[in-house]
Amino acid sequence: MLLEDFLKVLDDINSVRHEQIIVNLTGGEPLLRPDIEQCGYEIRKRGFRWSIVTNGFYYTAEKHVSLMNAGMGAATLSIDGLEDEHNWLRNNPLSFNKAVEAMRLMNREKRLNFDVVTCVNQKNINHLESLFKFFKEEGLKAWRLFTIAPIGRAKDNPELQLTGEQINQLWNFIIQKKKESVMEINFSCEAWAGPLDGKIRDGFFFCRAGIHIGSVLIDGSIGACPNIDRRFIQGNIYKDHFMEVWNQKFDLYRNRNWMKQGICKDCDGFKDCQGGAFHLRKPGCEDPIFCHFKGRRAKG
């Protein structure tokens, strides 16, 4: 997407907005854009706050200063284990050291709302304690742990998926670390977790896709969370106005009664989870791709 097209979307939103909006630049890898600082400056000029989600590979001291000068207010950095585990997942022997350098730059920036996210998989599930100790020594303040949804390329790689027992292991780890109060630690927005939901998160799960979260993809497609099946796209900025689409479409995101079918039809938890995370849904399928409550019910 060209900068001029991005600015048209910002101006469209800015013309009718009634509340504070945060623009999150993600990817892919947003730092590959040579004009990311100009994008950030234009966002701030219009009164929006903005943030990035990055793997940190191109996050140098110089880049940190330029992004902060462009008004960046928040950042999320991926660190998926200690050196061996992280570099395995990222498929680059330099990736861990680059990410740690980025973490140290971000973590000491008082003006930045910053957290680290970790994708938990077969390679790092048994090394979370060591990773926690490393983050503790670094003075990290906030850590979110994700499972990897079996979508896209991940659905064909069993090393990226956790068993039900390992999901319980992950949740018990989070619950224990929350008691230590060393850092803010939470399970991700992956899905509702049944009776343990309020214990593994600071708040209860609710998928905000299409309700509080909208997105514009690189091809101009208007949707919600970028992880959601592309068949749920609601429009395109090259033929539609973003705010018209946001206000007049997105019905299937905002009324989720259609999800009450298959395993969700008679589920006692539906009133709380409302069908679960939207990225675990596919058009025409009754059931979500998986359900922590019914398929991976937590123990205890």
Side-chain angles (χ1 to χ4, degrees), residues 181 199 233 247:
S181 300
K199 297 181 179 179
I233 289 297
N247 290 326

Side-chain angles (χ1 to χ4, degrees), residues 30-299:
L31 296 185
L32 288 175
R33 284 196 71 110
D35 62 351
I36 187 170
E37 289 88 352
Q38 188 175 357
C39 291
Y41 172 76
E42 295 291 346
I43 294 168
R44 287 299 295 143
K45 189 169 76 171
R46 288 160 175 78
F48 302 120
R49 293 178 289 167
W50 69 278
S51 63
I52 63 169
V53 179
T54 178
N55 61 27
F57 197 86
Y58 296 105
Y59 201 94
T60 62
E62 293 76 17
K63 179 61 72 172
H64 174 73
V65 171
S66 65
L67 290 171
M68 294 304 299
N69 286 342
M72 183 174 71
T76 291
L77 173 69
S78 294
I79 298 183
D80 298 307
L82 295 175
E83 187 165 10
D84 289 345
E85 297 84 39
H86 179 89
N87 288 346
W88 169 79
L89 186 63
R90 298 289 161 174
N91 198 31
N92 190 310
L94 303 177
S95 185
F96 179 75
N97 288 336
K98 295 281 190 179
V100 170
E101 178 185 355
M103 178 183 69
R104 289 169 177 163
L105 290 165
M106 294 176 182
N107 201 41
R108 63 173 178 248
E109 179 59 65
K110 291 183 170 51
R111 294 183 293 146
L112 196 64
N113 184 1
F114 166 61
D115 70 348
V116 164
V117 294
T118 296
C119 292
V120 184
N121 55 72
Q122 292 290 335
K123 294 286 189 180
N124 64 14
I125 180 66
N126 294 318
H127 301 281
L128 295 180
E129 183 66 40
S130 297
L131 187 57
F132 173 80
K133 290 178 180 177
F134 172 70
F135 288 152
K136 180 180 176 181
E137 291 170 358
E138 292 289 332
L140 184 67
K141 299 176 182 65
W143 185 26
R144 281 182 293 149
L145 295 102
F146 280 69
T147 49
I148 302 176
I151 58 179
R153 288 178 294 175
K155 74 179 186 302
D156 300 318
N157 189 340
E159 289 185 299
L160 300 181
Q161 307 304 316
L162 300 182
T163 65
E165 183 177 350
Q166 289 170 328
I167 290 285
N168 290 322
Q169 178 184 342
L170 170 60
W171 287 349
N172 289 331
F173 171 81
I174 293 172
I175 291 169
Q176 180 58 45
K177 295 309 175 188
K178 275 183 166 295
K179 293 176 182 177
E180 296 181 21
S181 300
V182 173
M183 68 185 72
E184 181 182 315
I185 180 169
N186 284 287
F187 186 54
S188 72
C189 57
E190 181 66 23
W192 188 62
L196 289 186
D197 203 66
K199 297 181 179 179
I200 60 175
R201 299 182 175 99
D202 289 344
F204 290 92
F205 170 80
F206 176 65
C207 181
R208 300 179 182 276
I211 298 174
H212 299 112
I213 298 172
S215 68
V216 179
L217 305 183
I218 193 66
D219 65 351
S221 296
I222 300 171
C225 171
N227 287 334
I228 292 172
D229 192 293
R230 296 296 187 263
R231 288 172 287 181
F232 289 121
I233 289 297
Q234 299 292 290
N236 192 290
I237 64 167
Y238 294 114
K239 62 183 181 65
D240 307 304
H241 289 290
F242 179 88
M243 289 308 301
E244 288 182 3
V245 173
W246 179 256
N247 290 326
Q248 298 172 15
K249 293 190 176 183
F250 284 87
D251 290 343
L252 58 86
Y253 289 93
R254 294 164 189 171
N255 182 351
R256 300 184 183 182
N257 288 333
W258 65 271
M259 290 185 177
K260 200 168 186 179
Q261 56 181 322
I263 63 171
C264 299
K265 184 175 182 179
D266 300 313
C267 180
D268 294 338
F270 189 85
K271 66 181 184 300
D272 296 311
C273 87
Q274 291 293 300
F278 220 102
H279 67 275
L280 298 177
R281 292 282 177 172
K282 289 187 176 295
C285 296
E286 288 190 345
D287 296 329
I289 295 173
F290 70 83
C291 171
H292 285 315
F293 182 55
K294 285 197 168 182
R296 294 175 174 173
R297 191 186 300 265
K299 300 175 183 176

